[in-house]
């Protein structure tokens, strides 16, 4: 059995998927981290460092100085406990299903098997642990909520390394790598009005819900489709009872943009909103924003990945810019070249039809091993 053996990869994936790990349950994510640490110790011949950074379980391996290439991923998922009962792990007609299989437990399994193969086959006449000298691995458990606990650790590890490879899932059925990502932020508009009885004297009120409706129409105008900037009013609430003029209302505003300049423009636009109805006032609550992952951060690494794929006889790789963020946004922000989407091929992230194409797993692991060897100086 080789490190790239599909049955062994699927067995490891089943172990991880069957350990539910919703982000908010730190005991559950800790159990999943323990399983992954054991898996890594078995495949890599080296135990992980357990770092309960920010109160959340994080795992780190450093081979040698661990300062050449950082492999990055997360074990937490968006799926609540009990999902496994109605969406159990299964392999049917070449598709792997189960909560978190695509985002992103399969990518982490592929990573371990890729490095195990590199360790087994050696490079530059080396084998054993020395074959991985220069590699670091960081696996976190709070990425799905923006990595508040792990963010400092992620950026510190990125600063130590020359390149970051993110094992998030690929895009599209052809396994496109993610060469750019939008920065993301979620802000909230609060409207203050004045309550009144809706039947007896509504004219004494100042309707916060009506004011909010006016403001939502202004908010959507801040989007710029040509620049790829989306501004989406989402979660909305108003009032406390059905027979009262609402005194308060609020809306969450999801903002995605490919540049910090666009993020700043939208933020300024939100701050510039003014009330339309007498007796109402507005307050913008600015949420944290992740920076974009710009294409120039990934261009050299993508070119190396293209050459690695060609050496392996794989079809040409495709790169794509996507709206969703990842921990790669944070590593690019500190100036470390970052390439994302090196994980599973499949689809349905965060959706009921989440799945992984099983036959692609060994090929993606081989691509990662070839790219890591290249970055460690074992390939021309």
């Amino acid at each position: 059995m080789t490190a790239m053996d599909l049955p062994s990869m699927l067995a490891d994936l089943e172990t991880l998927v069957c350990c539910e790990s919703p982000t908010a349950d730190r005991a559950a994510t800790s159990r999943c981290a323990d399983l992954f640490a054991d898996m890594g110790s078995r495949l890599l011949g080296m135990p992980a460092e357990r770092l309960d950074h920010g109160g959340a379980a994080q795992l780190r391996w450093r081979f040698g100085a661990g300062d050449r290439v950082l492999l990055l991923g997360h074990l937490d998922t968006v799926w609540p406990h009990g999902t496994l009962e109605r969406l159990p792990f299964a392999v049917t007609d070449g598709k792997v299903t189960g909560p978190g299989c695509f985002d992103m437990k399969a990518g982490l399994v592929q990573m371990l098997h890729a490095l195990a193969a590199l360790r087994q086959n050696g490079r530059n006449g080396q084998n054993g642990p020395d074959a991985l000298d220069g590699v670091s691995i960081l696996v976190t458990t709070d990425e799905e909520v923006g990595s508040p606990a792990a963010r400092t650790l992620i950026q510190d590890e990125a600063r130590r390394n020359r390149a970051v490879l993110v094992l998030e899932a690929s895009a599209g059925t052809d396994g496109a790598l993610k060469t750019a990502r939008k920065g993301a932020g979620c802000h909230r508009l609060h409207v203050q009005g004045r309550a009144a009885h809706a039947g007896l004297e509504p004219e004494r009120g100042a309707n916060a819900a009506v004011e909010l409706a006016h403001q939502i129409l202004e908010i959507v105008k801040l989007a710029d489709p040509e620049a790829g900037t989306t501004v989406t009013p989402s979660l909305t609430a108003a009032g406390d009872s059905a027979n009262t003029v609402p005194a308060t209302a609020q809306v969450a505003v999801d903002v995605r943009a490919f540049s910090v300049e666009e993020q700043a423009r939208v933020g300024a636009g939100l701050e510039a909103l003014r009330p339309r109805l007498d007796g109402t006032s507005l307050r913008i609550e600015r949420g944290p924003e992740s920076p974009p992952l710009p294409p120039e951060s990934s261009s050299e690494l993508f070119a190396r990945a293209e050459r690695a794929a060609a050496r392996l006889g794989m079809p040409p790789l495709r790169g794509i810019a996507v709206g969703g963020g990842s921990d790669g946004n944070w590593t690019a922000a500190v100036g470390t070249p970052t390439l994302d989407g090196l994980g599973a091929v499949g689809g349905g992230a965060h959706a009921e039809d989440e799945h992984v194409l099983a036959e692609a797993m060994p090929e993606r692991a081989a691509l990662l091993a070839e790219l890591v060897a290249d970055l460690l100086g074992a390939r021309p």
Side-chain angles (χ1 to χ4, degrees), residues 155-286:
Q155 293 192 308
D156 287 346
E157 289 297 314
R159 289 186 183 97
R160 297 183 69 257
N161 281 271
R162 302 180 188 180
V164 178
L165 304 179
V166 185
L167 275 300
E168 289 278 2
S170 63
T173 57
D174 63 346
L177 303 188
K178 295 170 179 175
T179 53
R181 284 185 179 271
K182 293 181 182 180
C186 188
H187 313 297
R188 195 172 297 274
L189 172 64
H190 298 269
V191 180
Q192 182 65 52
R194 186 171 58 250
H197 194 292
L200 294 177
E201 44 189 5
E203 68 280 356
R204 293 191 58 191
N207 197 314
V210 175
E211 179 63 47
L212 181 63
H214 285 295
Q215 297 303 323
I216 286 175
L217 293 176
E218 295 302 310
I219 287 170
V220 297
K221 294 177 183 177
L222 294 171
D224 186 344
E226 290 187 3
T229 302
T230 60
V231 181
T232 306
S234 54
L235 189 63
T236 307
D240 297 311
S241 66
N243 62 351
T244 303
V245 174
T248 61
Q250 59 182 281
V251 61
V253 183
D254 182 280
V255 180
R256 311 279 174 139
F258 281 119
S259 71
V260 292
E261 291 79 11
E262 275 294 283
Q263 289 179 302
R265 180 189 65 78
V266 173
L270 292 172
E271 297 284 359
L273 294 172
R274 295 294 179 264
R276 299 280 294 276
L277 302 181
D278 291 340
T280 62
S281 61
L282 309 178
R283 178 173 65 87
I284 288 290
E285 178 187 354
R286 298 286 293 272

Side-chain angles (χ1 to χ4, degrees), residues 18 22 31 76 108 113 122 173 195 230 245 301:
C18 289
R31 287 193 296 271
D76 59 309
L108 291 174
H113 284 258
T173 57
T230 60
V245 174
L301 289 174

Side-chain angles (χ1 to χ4, degrees), residues 349-374:
H350 298 195
E352 295 285 321
D353 63 342
E354 181 176 16
H355 65 278
V356 171
L357 299 181
E359 65 179 8
M361 292 183 68
E363 183 178 76
R364 296 293 281 198
L367 174 62
L368 181 65
E370 183 73 11
L371 181 56
V372 170
D374 179 24

